[in-house]
Amino acid sequence: MSSSPLTCLVIGTGGREHALARALSLDPGVGAVHAAPGNPGIAAVATLHDVDPLSGESVADLAESLGADLVVVGPEAPLVAGVADVVRARGIAVFGPSGAAAQLEGSKAFAKEVMEAAGVPTAAAMVCTTPVEVQAALDAYGPPYVVKDDGLAAGKGVVVTTDRDAAVEHAAQCERVVIEEFLDGPEVSLFALTDGTTVYPLQPAQDFKRIFDGDEGANTGGMGAYTPLPWAPEGLVEEVLRDVLQPTVDEMARRGTPFSGLLYAGLALTSRGVRVVEFNARFGDPETQPLMALLDSPLSPLLMGSATGTLASVPAPAWKPGAAVAVVMASAGYPESSSKGDVIRGLPDAEALEGVHVIHAGTAMVERATVTAGGRVLAVVGTGGSLGEAREAAYDGVSCIEFEGAQHRTDIAAKAAAGEA
């Protein structure tokens, strides 16, 4: 890798991309950070450009014009669409899997096939394309029913319910569904950086998918997250690396579709052991926000090592002591709908607090005012010496920010901070 400062281009518009761009902007090995299309928060740490993130040719053209050394493709849709392939074909290093490898997220049925071949522990499942198959699968596994859209659904394609009619209704809205047995136990997000051979796990995090306190209400893209997990079993990371991450990466290589980039394992710690709930092919949102807040290694060597097949020569990720908590503030109507154009007040006050920074997701600038522009608007990240301190900082930040119809959970990391998780 060149010793001269890197020029990095981050593709995407959300909180994950803001967190990554922010981390790259603080990296002494990075000379310039660009982002496309970006958002007002990313604009504070990167130069924004207008591009269609789903067009590989447009992204590659922009990367060439900027002299980018590294392109980081954030969202799942461009990855599944093969944007990384087009950029890579131009001779530019890309952090993110090929379109073929991104099918680990793009198709839950494909992910199940890979896990079976690799011997990775996961829930028993049936792939269904007809109402008759759906009914048979629901009979086989019983309630609670777990019904997953096979394709991409922005984190909202899964229904877990004891209401059979609701399960059937969700299945009917999908072209193909995966219906699987319910997994008991707490869920953990474990991200891993890989170049297709070497695998570096990050520290575990946990996110909160339901819209309301107490894990009530509809599934969302994630209403908050925290790291580390004081209650996680000793040796969890080593176990998941051995039984889940490395076998999956090895199986993808065996198939001729090596996976490089970020492999995200959503795990359930069940009474029968660790089971994979799902794979994602990119950094998760909102877990990326607290993870980047605690990463003590420069980010660019890890991303570049993953992109160029040289990860083994890069030191494994190191972590700051303490904890980080991210609390998502969502717009009115989310997740069923979202309100746009509501003026956001109090951002400077929140950012002025010690141990607090705000990550933008669904925001826009209108006449010099920052306004809402999506469902999940902001993630307020608090850091501290303990989970309790980080949680207090995050909620102090939330209390500074106002916009019409704002909603957030009040219990992010509460049980873990109280030692009850």
Side-chain angles (χ1 to χ4, degrees):
M1 192 171 75
S2 170
S3 59
S4 59
L6 297 176
T7 295
C8 299
L9 171 61
V10 178
I11 302 300
T13 63
R16 162 188 50 235
E17 289 75 42
H18 186 184
L20 293 172
R22 180 178 183 271
L24 288 170
S25 74
L26 298 172
D27 186 330
V30 174
V33 182
H34 299 267
N39 65 40
I42 300 175
V45 296
T47 303
L48 300 191
H49 305 269
D50 188 22
V51 79
D52 176 2
L54 291 172
S55 169
E57 295 295 338
S58 297
V59 171
D61 288 345
L62 175 60
E64 284 189 335
S65 71
L66 295 172
D69 300 295
L70 174 67
V71 175
V72 180
V73 183
E76 59 270 33
L79 289 169
V80 171
V83 167
D85 300 87
V86 180
V87 178
R88 201 172 276 121
R90 301 273 190 100
I92 302 169
V94 184
F95 180 83
S98 66
Q103 287 303 308
L104 272 180
E105 178 169 5
S107 169
K108 292 177 178 63
F110 174 76
K112 288 288 187 185
E113 179 188 316
V114 170
M115 282 187 272
E116 182 177 3
V120 170
T122 186
M126 297 183 186
V127 180
C128 307
T129 57
T130 70
V132 171
E133 290 174 344
V134 167
Q135 294 290 351
L138 296 176
D139 286 340
Y141 297 127
Y145 303 108
V146 182
V147 184
K148 299 180 176 182
D149 190 335
D150 179 56
L152 296 178
K156 292 176 282 186
V158 179
V159 165
V160 181
T161 180
T162 56
D163 183 339
R164 186 168 178 127
D165 290 340
V168 171
E169 181 183 358
H170 181 65
Q173 296 170 3
C174 308
E175 191 172 324
R176 184 162 76 155
V177 295
V178 175
I179 296 176
E180 61 186 42
E181 65 174 333
F182 176 76
L183 297 175
D184 62 343
E187 293 193 7
V188 172
S189 300
L190 188 59
F191 299 1
L193 299 160
T194 179
D195 59 3
T197 303
T198 299
V199 181
Y200 281 163
L202 305 188
Q203 70 179 22
Q206 186 177 55
D207 79 333
F208 294 74
K209 287 294 186 190
R210 301 285 185 165
I211 183 67
F212 299 130
D213 285 6
D215 295 324
E216 298 289 336
N219 263 342
T220 72
M223 292 300 294
Y226 69 97
T227 188
L229 311 183
W231 50 267
E234 188 175 349
L236 175 65
V237 173
E238 293 77 12
E239 178 185 352
V240 174
L241 175 61
R242 181 191 69 228
D243 296 344
V244 174
L245 298 170
Q246 193 70 59
T248 300
V249 169
D250 292 345
E251 173 62 19
M252 292 297 287
R254 188 192 68 77
R255 289 168 174 251
T257 52
F259 187 102
S260 69
L262 193 290
L263 180 59
Y264 168 135
L267 308 167
L269 308 188
T270 77
S271 55
R272 294 173 294 152
V274 173
R275 296 289 185 273
V276 175
V277 177
E278 65 176 352
F279 282 133
N280 288 340
R282 37 74 198 181
F283 277 99
D285 190 344
E287 300 99 320
T288 301
Q289 287 87 314
L291 282 167
M292 288 300 103
L294 291 189
L295 182 66
D296 202 26
S297 304
L299 181 60
S300 66
L302 291 164
L303 301 187
M304 185 63 89
S306 297
T308 59
T310 59
L311 190 58
S313 66
V314 180
W319 303 93
K320 299 172 185 174
V325 174
V327 178
V328 170
M329 300 185 72
S331 67
Y334 182 75
E336 287 80 12
S337 62
S338 61
S339 177
K340 298 182 180 181
D342 300 310
V343 175
I344 303 169
R345 299 178 178 86
L347 287 171
D349 296 330
E351 292 272 16
L353 296 175
E354 185 177 355
V356 176
H357 64 271
V358 181
I359 297 294
H360 290 233
T363 66
M365 290 295 289
V366 176
E367 296 178 355
R368 296 188 178 182
T370 307
V371 302
T372 62
R376 290 184 295 168
V377 179
L378 304 163
V380 183
V381 182
T383 57
S386 68
L387 205 49
E389 290 175 6
R391 189 172 180 275
E392 183 177 358
Y395 279 104
D396 284 347
V398 168
S399 69
C400 295
I401 300 170
E402 297 179 350
F403 53 89
E404 189 69 28
Q407 52 178 331
H408 68 272
R409 285 182 57 159
T410 65
D411 63 348
I412 303 301
K415 287 184 177 180
E420 299 171 0

